[in-house]
Amino acid sequence: MSHSHISGIHHITAISADPQQNVDFYAGVLGLRMIKKTINFDAPDTYHLYYGDKIGTPGSVLTFFPWGAGSWKGRGGTGQVTVISFSVPENSMEYWIERLQLADLSIQGPISRFDEQVLSFRDPDGIQLELVGTDANTDQVWSDGPVPSHAAIRGFFGATLAVRNYQNTAKLLTEKLGFKFRQETGNRYRFVNERSSLGSVVDLLELPAGQEGRMGAGAVHHIAWRIPDDPGQLKIQSELSEQGYQVSPVMDRNYFHSIYFREPERILFEIATDSPGFLVDETIDTLGQNLKLPAWYESRRSEIEASLQKIKAPQIPYAITME
Ligand code: ZN
């Protein structure tokens, strides 16, 4: 019997407030491609917006449930993914400092952390983001966006998870999710999944007295790990169940198949398949342009479209045309 293995991050999903502000920031300022405009399958009156590289390669995909302007605000804290880190080319840091300053963002760094340079800032809803200079590359760089390909985000570097006690989460990462302990500094423990070059790093930040996170706009909802295929997913589903985790049934997310469970520090983990992928209902050229609905919602399309706020291509109030 063949075994497929988890190879780092598949996608990360967060909550935002206003959808247009979200598009303007992630597609307009950070230059990610909007690869899918669909709805929250569990709450069809809200969008589910997907950003990524040119084709939405697993390891590059950041998604949002925009709850709307004025919605309940979340707060990063323990029991959550608190920082989302992207890989950018090592020599693009100066470009990014200028670009983010032009966008009026308050930036910190770059600082040195382990072997990399790290630039920190927040998105419009307060989610903490990082750009990490690495030599990670991909042949799916999005080069038709506002950021030139020499500086474009390659995908995730990794994520930081805030926990009260790191040991049980570390055990899960290393024994079931394919990660190896790499190094530590202070209360930061780094784990790496060597099967992937994108989305391969998890830092556990141990905060024994840390304030608990609160779900809402500006908080990360869950992190998904990638598994190549359905048999691999079923195998890990039964292994996790045997260890006492409450694992959901397999859910059809149209672009991947998912199972969900809470890890020992209560962070929501998902395991998502690489297939069928984002090209299942659109071509590479038209990805993200039209509202896509799964077959089971098509009959309600006009009602759903009427309930959604209209969003446009990135509206940026400042010219960022750096080369
Ligand atoms: Zn997900």
Side-chain angles (χ1 to χ4, degrees):
M1 184 182 165
S2 68
H3 296 293
S4 62
H5 296 278
I6 285 176
S7 54
I9 299 170
H10 182 285
H11 66 268
I12 297 175
T13 294
I15 314 289
S16 77
D18 183 55
Q20 186 66 57
Q21 180 177 252
N22 188 253
V23 173
D24 291 350
F25 183 78
Y26 283 96
V29 177
L30 295 191
L32 298 175
R33 185 178 194 188
M34 185 193 277
I35 52 156
K36 198 64 68 180
K37 182 163 60 175
T38 182
I39 52 170
N40 181 344
F41 293 178
D42 301 324
D45 59 341
T46 54
Y47 281 114
H48 194 181
L49 304 179
Y50 288 70
Y51 305 91
D53 66 6
K54 187 165 132 188
I55 61 165
T57 307
S60 76
V61 179
L62 176 61
T63 94
F64 283 89
F65 297 131
W67 285 1
S71 57
W72 177 258
K73 274 192 77 62
R75 178 185 66 215
T78 57
Q80 284 183 344
V81 173
T82 49
V83 187
I84 299 168
S85 305
F86 298 101
S87 267
V88 297
E90 281 171 302
N91 60 9
S92 69
M93 277 294 165
E94 290 305 315
Y95 170 89
W96 280 105
I97 291 167
E98 280 198 61
R99 185 176 180 83
L100 299 176
Q101 283 173 341
L102 277 173
D104 265 342
L105 296 177
S106 164
I107 55 179
Q108 292 184 321
I111 60 152
S112 289
R113 183 190 296 146
F114 298 123
D115 300 325
E116 289 93 16
Q117 294 291 106
V118 181
L119 201 60
S120 302
F121 52 99
R122 290 180 184 271
D123 86 351
D125 293 299
I127 296 178
Q128 205 180 330
L129 304 176
E130 291 175 346
L131 297 181
V132 181
T134 75
D135 59 6
N137 217 337
T138 160
D139 51 9
Q140 302 297 346
V141 174
W142 175 231
S143 53
D144 290 340
V147 176
S149 55
H150 71 79
I153 287 173
R154 267 42 184 171
F156 293 124
F157 174 76
T160 299
L161 282 53
V163 294
R164 291 290 185 101
N165 179 322
Y166 87 99
Q167 292 184 21
N168 290 329
T169 304
K171 199 166 141 67
L172 174 66
L173 287 172
T174 54
E175 291 181 1
K176 282 279 153 267
L177 304 183
F179 285 80
K180 290 180 182 163
F181 173 71
R182 174 65 62 82
Q183 52 194 340
E184 65 183 272
T185 177
N187 61 340
R188 180 182 296 271
Y189 300 86
R190 173 158 294 183
F191 298 82
V192 176
N193 189 312
E194 293 167 352
R195 290 192 178 87
S196 178
S197 63
L198 290 176
S200 58
V201 174
V202 170
D203 282 356
L204 297 182
L205 199 62
E206 190 176 56
L207 301 167
Q211 193 178 30
E212 215 177 323
R214 185 176 68 195
M215 198 48 60
V220 174
H221 190 265
H222 64 266
I223 186 166
W225 312 104
R226 65 184 287 199
I227 190 98
D229 53 32
D230 296 313
Q233 184 178 59
L234 293 173
K235 178 168 175 287
I236 195 160
Q237 183 190 38
S238 72
E239 289 173 357
L240 289 166
S241 295
E242 278 165 26
Q243 292 197 354
Y245 289 100
Q246 301 288 314
V247 190
S248 78
V250 176
M251 311 227 191
D252 182 359
R253 297 315 192 186
N254 220 20
Y255 311 106
F256 42 85
H257 303 145
S258 299
I259 57 174
Y260 302 85
F261 64 103
R262 296 228 175 237
E263 58 82 48
E265 295 285 323
R266 308 289 303 150
I267 302 170
L268 184 58
F269 277 11
E270 172 181 348
I271 293 171
T273 55
D274 281 3
S275 53
F278 297 98
L279 298 174
V280 73
D281 59 0
E282 285 179 296
T283 64
I284 290 185
D285 289 345
T286 60
L287 274 180
Q289 288 178 14
N290 299 302
L291 180 71
K292 304 308 290 185
L293 300 178
W296 60 92
Y297 278 130
E298 267 307 336
S299 63
R300 292 173 55 192
R301 176 175 280 272
S302 55
E303 170 204 341
I304 288 168
E305 284 184 347
S307 71
L308 294 167
Q309 180 182 333
K310 296 285 171 282
I311 50 176
K312 302 175 279 192
Q315 303 295 302
I316 311 174
Y318 35 82
I320 299 180
T321 53
M322 302 176 54
E323 275 302 321

